[in-house]
Amino acid sequence: MTDSVLFEELSTACGRVIGRATLNAPRSLNALTLDMIQALDARVADWQGRDEVVAIWLDGAGGKALSAGGDVVALHGAAVKHAGQARNPFAEQYFAEEYRLDYRLHVSETPVICWADGVVMGGGMGLMQGSQFRLVTPRSRLAMPEVTIGLFPDVGASWFLNRLPGHTGLFLGLTGVHLNARDALDLGLADRFMDAAPEEVLKALTENRYDGDRDADRARLYRQLRDLATAPEGLQAAVSDHRDTIERLCDGATVEEVVARIQEHKQCDGWLDKARKTLAAGCPQTMHLVWEQLRRARHLSLAEALRLEWCVAVQCCLHPDFREGVRALLIDKDGGPRFRHRSVDEVSADYIDGFFRNPAPEHPLADLG
């Protein structure tokens, strides 16, 4: 059993328990390894099956992150090993088990509380968005920044980005822009703002008396977290402040048109300028994948969206841009990825369509839903 996830059962005043899972790889900002995913999935499944467990609490060690994402370094190594091949066994297993965990959280009858403090990106967003009570803090920084490495917003992003107002989901996917707690609350990506230490919140929850009725206990948790929450005073509402501009820039018939509109919008605005610069340096392949995944998943269930994403994720690990993006950002750290296409206009529809094909004879998530 790995010690990269710490498990604890906290006794409540009535003798029931809250299961606490702490991602414990602070040096990598709690990036999710396959071992961590497997350990977390097994323990969450165990807690979900026990009547005395009234809630599950997820957080991250180190004080800097819930999780900065998936284990892209290990995925890069597997992508290099299987370059030019038709299958990548590690990528297939990794994404299947990660997405299965995300789905387990989404459909959990046992309430899941996520302490989304610090960096919450990629795989961390998958855990957070699968939780019923998503708690953000003054230090929360949320993003789906896959455009920088030739991947795409996964872990259910096809489902939850499509549920954001207007074109904001598309904008977040294309630009990888960072959101603070106020943004997350405004967009419905978080539920409560907490300006307190996690131990204080946990202590208050354990002092509660639960009676074993799931609906009643869930209501108790809801009211208590509501009463513990405060307003995110002093945080810029960047997305709300720029909402009209985001809608205007992303109102295009094609991804090429939207990307051009964003890149041509040059004003003295730090938040938008950073988003534009990230997009300009990003992977053209990813821009098309973001557009297409949101289009194809618009009316899909969560399970269907995760099955779609598994195909795209595994295909990304079989294509060169993901290897190159991770090399430039995390391996050699030269910051100059040489992506296959120089611009979004060079990417063909046939090329992108291939990412949505299942490379396996049987889909490993066929049973979801």
Side-chain angles (χ1 to χ4, degrees):
M1 182 63 68
T2 178
D3 62 356
S4 55
V5 186
L6 304 178
F7 299 108
E8 184 179 8
E9 296 191 357
L10 307 173
S11 296
T12 67
C14 61
R16 292 181 170 85
V17 300
I18 294 174
R20 182 181 189 179
T22 301
L23 304 180
N24 187 39
R27 291 183 63 183
S28 65
L29 296 181
N30 300 319
L32 292 167
T33 65
L34 182 58
D35 284 347
M36 293 167 72
I37 291 167
Q38 291 170 336
L40 189 56
D41 187 62
R43 185 58 67 94
V44 168
D46 173 65
W47 282 334
Q48 288 172 333
R50 292 165 50 192
D51 291 338
E52 72 271 23
V53 178
V54 295
I56 297 168
W57 173 283
L58 301 179
D59 60 13
K64 293 183 179 180
L66 169 67
S67 174
D71 189 0
V72 294
V73 174
L75 286 165
H76 174 270
V80 171
K81 177 180 179 181
H82 297 285
Q85 299 178 21
R87 302 285 296 275
N88 181 327
F90 177 79
E92 292 182 18
Q93 179 186 10
Y94 181 91
F95 289 116
E97 298 201 32
E98 182 183 25
Y99 298 173
R100 190 172 291 278
L101 168 61
D102 292 332
Y103 188 79
R104 182 184 300 284
L105 297 175
H106 273 277
V107 302
S108 178
E109 293 186 8
T110 305
V112 181
I113 306 166
C114 182
W115 185 259
D117 184 43
V119 175
V120 187
M121 297 183 183
M125 280 286 280
L127 300 180
M128 178 188 180
Q129 296 311 313
S131 302
Q132 186 170 3
F133 298 105
R134 301 162 298 175
L135 312 181
V136 285
T137 76
R139 298 165 299 280
S140 296
R141 292 292 179 271
L142 283 62
M144 295 299 289
E146 290 81 5
V147 71
T148 61
I149 59 169
L151 201 54
F152 74 107
D154 65 332
V155 294
S158 301
W159 187 83
F160 64 75
L161 290 182
N162 256 327
R163 281 155 179 75
L164 301 188
H167 292 94
T168 51
L170 175 62
F171 184 79
L172 299 186
L174 288 175
T175 65
V177 70
H178 290 200
L179 308 176
N180 63 21
R182 174 71 181 276
D183 296 319
L185 290 164
D186 288 347
L187 288 172
L189 289 170
D191 301 299
R192 302 290 180 192
F193 180 78
M194 297 288 175
D195 195 6
E199 304 300 336
E200 294 178 37
V201 178
L202 270 169
K203 183 175 185 294
L205 295 180
T206 57
E207 290 172 350
N208 223 332
R209 300 192 71 85
Y210 306 91
D211 61 16
D213 180 281
R214 285 200 184 275
D215 291 337
D217 289 342
R218 186 180 293 108
R220 288 185 180 89
L221 288 169
Y222 181 97
R223 288 190 289 268
Q224 189 157 27
L225 291 170
R226 178 193 62 196
D227 294 344
L228 289 168
T230 60
E233 302 291 348
L235 293 178
Q236 180 191 8
V239 174
S240 295
D241 290 346
H242 294 93
R243 180 67 192 282
D244 290 344
T245 302
I246 289 171
E247 293 305 317
R248 187 173 68 253
L249 297 179
C250 292
D251 187 8
T254 66
V255 66
E256 293 91 341
E257 181 182 345
V258 171
V259 169
R261 291 167 74 91
I262 296 173
Q263 291 181 339
E264 290 165 2
H265 184 79
K266 298 180 180 178
Q267 295 182 350
C268 293
D269 183 310
W271 190 81
L272 277 175
D273 285 346
K274 188 171 183 178
R276 178 177 52 80
K277 290 176 181 176
T278 301
L279 176 65
C283 177
Q285 166 187 295
T286 297
M287 300 169 200
H288 278 266
L289 292 177
V290 171
W291 179 272
E292 195 64 15
Q293 73 175 115
L294 294 181
R295 185 189 71 81
R296 296 190 185 208
R298 183 177 180 186
H299 300 296
L300 297 184
S301 68
L302 173 63
E304 290 167 335
L306 288 169
R307 282 192 282 270
L308 177 148
E309 289 181 5
W310 182 86
C311 296
V312 180
V314 173
Q315 290 286 0
C316 281
C317 291
L318 295 172
H319 285 70
D321 276 358
F322 172 67
R323 299 194 299 271
E324 176 60 13
V326 177
R327 180 207 63 77
L329 188 69
L330 298 174
I331 307 298
D332 297 337
K333 299 182 180 180
D334 56 45
R338 296 179 292 273
F339 293 125
R340 176 173 181 171
H341 304 94
R342 290 174 296 176
S343 77
V344 71
D345 301 305
E346 294 183 2
V347 186
S348 73
D350 287 344
Y351 181 73
I352 293 300
D353 190 57
F355 284 81
F356 292 85
R357 299 189 187 114
N358 182 2
E362 295 182 9
H363 201 298
L365 301 178
D367 61 320
L368 284 192

